[in-house]
Amino acid sequence: MNPWTGNLTFLICLIASIAIRIPHDKRSQETKVVKDRKGAVEKTLLGLVMAGLVVFPLLSFTPVLSFARYPMHPVAFALGLFTMLLSLWIFHRSHEDLGRNWSATLEIRESHALITNGIYQKIRHPMYTSIFLMAIGQALLLPNWLAGPATLFAFTLMFVSRLHTEEQMMLDQFGAEYEAYRQRTKRIIPGIW
Ligand code: SAH
């Protein structure tokens, strides 16, 4: 199978995810930030995730990473495409449900409300589920040992570093309401974890 089919499919899905985010980004910039937990580690990890999602996939089109290429398998392509489409749907739903409460980093916005409905009903971090799915899709769609797993590596670091801080920030803000929500939901996989 032509390896560029995987690369191009990934790129189209990446552009779709940016298109999903743009209107929310605009709206979020209009909403005042009242608390901010983003430190140097958070900013560095955010940069690393961007490198994994954008820089490495673009480099995979150039000869720079050609030494790490391997042949594309049709089953990997089909699974990768399915994973990417599922990721885009969850990415869209989580942005819609969070609305004005969404931030790219750890922040509490003016009139921040705790969202516990829609896609947030069963899991507390559906957006992170969607980013993990995107990272798995990337690993399946880019037949390159470096560019493929780049986001999976970077986002795992970011997720591990962020999870506790984000939940603590939500607990500080919403107290018992968030604790009760935490008790009845899982983190990223419905019914499992
Ligand atoms: N972790 C969530 C949200 C990611 S966006 C997810 O994966 O879906 C990060 C911002 O969302 C945080 O700064 C926090 O302010 C906000 N947030 C996280 N969970 C929330 C919830 N249940 N309701 C409202 N805001 C939430």
Side-chain angles (χ1 to χ4, degrees), residues 140-160:
L140 290 163
L141 287 176
L142 299 186
N144 187 297
W145 294 116
L146 284 176
T151 305
L152 204 51
F153 173 76
F155 189 68
T156 301
L157 289 182
M158 182 162 158
F159 178 74
V160 169

Side-chain angles (χ1 to χ4, degrees), residues 36-106:
D36 174 347
R37 295 263 171 114
K38 59 172 189 278
V41 176
E42 166 83 6
K43 283 182 193 160
T44 310
L45 290 172
L46 211 57
L48 213 61
V49 172
M50 284 302 126
L53 263 178
V54 182
V55 182
F56 274 83
L58 288 179
L59 282 180
S60 73
F61 279 95
T62 72
V64 178
L65 294 182
S66 60
F67 68 94
R69 280 185 196 143
Y70 61 87
M72 177 95 220
H73 195 284
V75 174
F77 175 79
L79 279 175
L81 180 59
F82 173 76
T83 312
M84 285 304 279
L85 294 177
L86 182 62
S87 154
L88 286 174
W89 182 75
I90 301 175
F91 197 63
H92 162 69
R93 283 300 339 148
S94 48
H95 276 91
E96 286 290 315
D97 287 343
L98 268 191
R100 282 190 177 273
N101 306 297
W102 173 76
S103 296
T105 53
L106 299 184

Side-chain angles (χ1 to χ4, degrees), residues 94 98 101-103 105-108 112-116 120 124-129 162 166 169-170 178 181:
S94 48
L98 268 191
N101 306 297
W102 173 76
S103 296
T105 53
L106 299 184
E107 291 166 341
I108 295 291
H112 204 117
L114 177 65
I115 305 298
T116 61
Y120 284 82
R124 304 191 287 282
H125 304 289
M127 201 173 288
Y128 299 157
T129 304
R162 217 187 226 206
E166 179 168 336
M169 179 183 83
M170 298 302 284
Y178 190 73
Y181 174 57

